[in-house]
Amino acid sequence: MVEAVPDWLSSAHQAVTTSSPRGLESGQTVQGPVGERTFEAHPIAQGEGAVAWWLVDDTDLRLARRALQVEKERTAFLTQASNLLLSSLNLERCMDVTAQMAAEHLADAALVIAPAHGRMLPVVSCLRGGTPARTSLATDPSLVPGLSEALQGFPPVPSRWIDPAAAPAWLLPEGFGTVGSIVITPLPGHGVPAGVLVLLRRSDHAAFTEGEEVFARLFAARAGAAMSAARLYAEQASITEILMRELLPPTLHQISGVDFAGGYRPSKDHERVGGDFYDVHPATVEGDASLVVLGDVCGKGLQAAVMTGKIRNTLHALLPMAGDHQRMLSLLNTSLLNIENARFATMVLASAARTGSSVQLRLTSAGHPAPLILRSDGRVEEVSTRGTLVGVLPNLVTQTAKVTLEPGDACFLYTDGISEARGGPLGDAMFGEERLKLALSECAGMPAEAVVERVQMLASQWLGSGKHDDMAVVVISAPRTNHLSAVNGRTRGRFTA
């Protein structure tokens, strides 16, 4: 009978009977295995120093506790993974995090393979305890069992179906050693597969169990959702950037001997576009005038910017009529009246042509602040042009004025975001037209770019940190020099188209 008692129970019995059996009243117990089961042994004192043992089979309880602990650890891991993956909308960062977390918690090494770009497969690999490494491989995924199917979003094949010895060299991270088992599972995305997760274990480690493969799929679902969101965000950001580029005001320079400069500040510093806009359209025929357009669409932000885009495109289509401001604005007015939920706009057109050393201007305002002329001696004149708003009344009426700019003179076009900027010492006073004229008079003789920068700086100082409307400025000036080079009308530091 002694030989049939397990060693752990025999040792416990000897220890108890050697000491005082009365100490058993404290309820001390011992645990140990009996075959494939585990038992908890409770000693009970008998007469004359004898001890009896009551054995309770706690195998199922221990397994349940272990399973509960494993589930808690897995839940904590998935929560951590979700937080890390969703904290970034950068696709490369998501791939790095996925590979690193999978290598640390699920396998000895992990690879994240994104859908192919042409013939190249973007791959991120990571060893346990290492850092992710990115590469692009020109390889055929069909050579790895289950990889091509997983990239298309099909369910994973069981790891027991994959022969580790058939794994190609590119699948094994450098220094990994001999692979013992492989799990290949898709990374599901939002309607489109986000890629594939490959888990590797070394040959001296236990193979993946069915439960581990199921858990890997749970992790892959979270990683795939994060990667898909990051890819979608990147695509939307790219589209937004392309569209935004079309809405941004152009960079101005010298055209046909006339200096142009512009500046724009949206109503919100985190936005890039708004309801103010300007364009300069060079003359298509030598000797004709270039057309300057500066406008202000009702409203702020992206919705106003969309309307500015429509107006700019319409004006571009009407360029063959640029010589007739009234007709051009009337056609634009009709176009806006026919657009559902269109916003009205104020606008000023300026045709500028170089004649000898001077610049001839024709200026037409449509409900817009009158242009200001800055003479080389510091005088500031208001141009007598006016007109009705664009997009409000069926019949648009305007009055065109003609102005000559001598060398050193400049024409200043602006939106009401400049003159109506509120700030100052008390924070509620408008910058105003008189203050603007005084600021311009101090810019006499400055290049067009310097005039723009000076006015923008003064308006910003006046505003401080207060709210403001969109602000746009365009300066047209007659250069003081007549010396143009013989090569395409270029001068040092300037460009002439």
Side-chain angles (χ1 to χ4, degrees):
M1 289 296 294
V2 175
E3 289 77 7
V5 177
D7 293 341
W8 61 271
L9 184 56
S10 176
S11 299
H13 182 76
Q14 184 178 0
V16 168
T17 55
T18 301
S19 61
S20 173
R22 295 181 180 179
L24 298 176
E25 296 178 0
S26 61
Q28 66 184 46
T29 61
V30 291
Q31 297 89 22
V34 178
E36 296 182 355
R37 312 290 291 181
T38 60
F39 289 83
E40 187 176 78
H42 301 261
I44 301 175
Q46 304 292 316
E48 299 180 355
V51 176
W53 293 86
W54 179 266
L55 272 63
V56 178
D57 186 344
D58 67 348
T59 306
D60 293 338
L61 178 60
R62 285 176 174 270
L63 291 176
R65 286 176 177 172
R66 176 56 186 160
L68 179 60
Q69 181 61 30
V70 169
E71 287 304 314
K72 287 182 177 179
E73 292 174 355
R74 288 181 172 180
T75 300
F77 167 68
L78 291 176
T79 301
Q80 180 189 15
S82 297
N83 292 337
L84 287 175
L85 289 166
L86 295 176
S87 65
S88 172
L89 286 176
N90 181 281
L91 180 58
E92 291 184 349
R93 170 65 178 161
C94 285
M95 293 178 68
D96 287 352
V97 170
T98 300
Q100 192 165 27
M101 294 199 73
E104 290 296 327
H105 298 275
L106 305 178
D108 296 319
L111 289 85
V112 176
I113 305 174
H117 289 169
R119 297 182 178 180
M120 307 300 289
L121 280 178
V123 179
V124 174
S125 59
C126 187
L127 286 167
R128 177 172 291 185
T131 56
R134 299 193 194 104
T135 185
S136 292
L137 302 173
T139 186
D140 184 1
S142 64
L143 299 177
V144 181
L147 179 57
S148 179
E149 293 79 4
L151 282 170
Q152 299 176 57
F154 290 104
V157 299
S159 62
R160 64 179 181 276
W161 292 7
I162 304 175
D163 181 9
W170 67 264
L171 198 64
L172 308 181
E174 184 177 355
F176 181 77
T178 305
V179 62
S181 56
I182 303 174
V183 167
I184 297 177
T185 185
L187 295 166
H190 299 120
V192 179
V196 171
L197 174 65
V198 180
L199 303 178
L200 306 173
R201 278 188 179 167
R202 294 185 173 91
S203 57
D204 57 348
H205 290 187
F208 291 97
T209 65
E210 183 178 351
E212 288 174 328
E213 292 185 46
V214 171
F215 181 66
R217 291 198 288 272
L218 293 176
F219 170 73
R222 287 161 172 77
M227 288 174 55
S228 181
R231 182 176 286 110
L232 181 61
Y233 175 80
E235 292 174 355
Q236 291 177 338
S238 177
I239 294 172
T240 301
E241 178 63 27
I242 294 171
L243 296 176
M244 194 73 70
R245 205 177 299 139
E246 293 299 316
L247 295 175
L248 289 173
T251 300
L252 304 185
H253 44 72
Q254 189 184 88
I255 301 175
S256 301
V258 182
D259 281 349
F260 298 94
Y264 174 71
R265 181 180 175 183
S267 59
K268 296 180 180 179
D269 293 335
H270 64 274
E271 295 179 347
R272 299 172 62 189
V273 296
D276 288 5
F277 67 95
Y278 59 80
D279 281 306
V280 175
H281 302 281
T284 56
V285 178
E286 186 176 354
D288 284 357
S290 298
L291 179 68
V292 182
V293 181
L294 182 138
D296 182 359
V297 173
C298 174
K300 303 182 182 68
L302 187 58
Q303 289 185 336
V306 171
M307 181 54 63
T308 69
K310 293 179 180 180
I311 292 175
R312 292 170 72 182
N313 289 336
T314 303
L315 288 171
H316 193 272
L318 296 174
L319 282 179
M321 305 170 190
D324 188 342
H325 290 182
Q326 172 65 38
R327 187 181 181 193
M328 194 175 191
L329 289 170
S330 294
L331 291 173
L332 174 63
N333 182 67
T334 302
S335 174
L336 293 184
L337 289 174
N338 291 329
I339 297 177
E340 186 177 356
N341 298 322
R343 298 163 180 255
F344 69 84
T346 67
M347 200 170 305
V348 60
L349 303 185
S351 294
R354 180 75 176 262
T355 304
S357 62
S358 62
V359 174
Q360 300 300 320
L361 292 180
R362 286 188 299 109
L363 298 158
T364 304
S365 173
H368 201 82
L372 300 176
I373 303 300
L374 171 61
R375 298 299 182 184
S376 59
D377 59 4
R379 289 179 293 118
V380 177
E381 304 168 0
E382 186 174 300
V383 179
S384 179
T385 175
R386 61 185 62 86
T388 54
L389 299 173
V390 182
V392 176
L393 301 176
N395 297 318
L396 184 141
V397 179
T398 62
Q399 178 182 337
T400 300
K402 295 182 179 180
V403 176
T404 298
L405 299 181
E406 299 298 338
D409 292 346
C411 175
F412 185 81
L413 311 178
Y414 66 100
T415 58
D416 58 12
I418 295 289
S419 57
E420 295 180 2
R422 289 188 176 275
L426 300 179
D428 59 351
M430 287 201 305
F431 191 67
E433 294 182 2
E434 292 305 317
R435 190 174 280 103
L436 174 59
K437 292 178 181 179
L438 178 61
L440 279 177
S441 68
E442 298 171 351
C443 298
M446 291 185 180
E449 296 91 339
V451 176
V452 170
E453 291 176 3
R454 174 67 176 169
V455 172
Q456 284 186 315
M457 181 191 70
L458 292 175
S460 296
Q461 289 177 345
W462 185 260
L463 280 167
S465 59
K467 295 181 179 181
H468 59 89
D469 198 356
D470 300 322
M471 296 186 290
V473 173
V474 172
V475 172
I476 310 167
S477 67
R480 287 182 176 275
T481 176
N482 295 327
H483 300 291
L484 300 179
S485 69
V487 183
N488 298 326
R490 294 178 184 272
T491 60
R492 183 179 299 176
R494 300 190 182 280
F495 173 75
T496 301

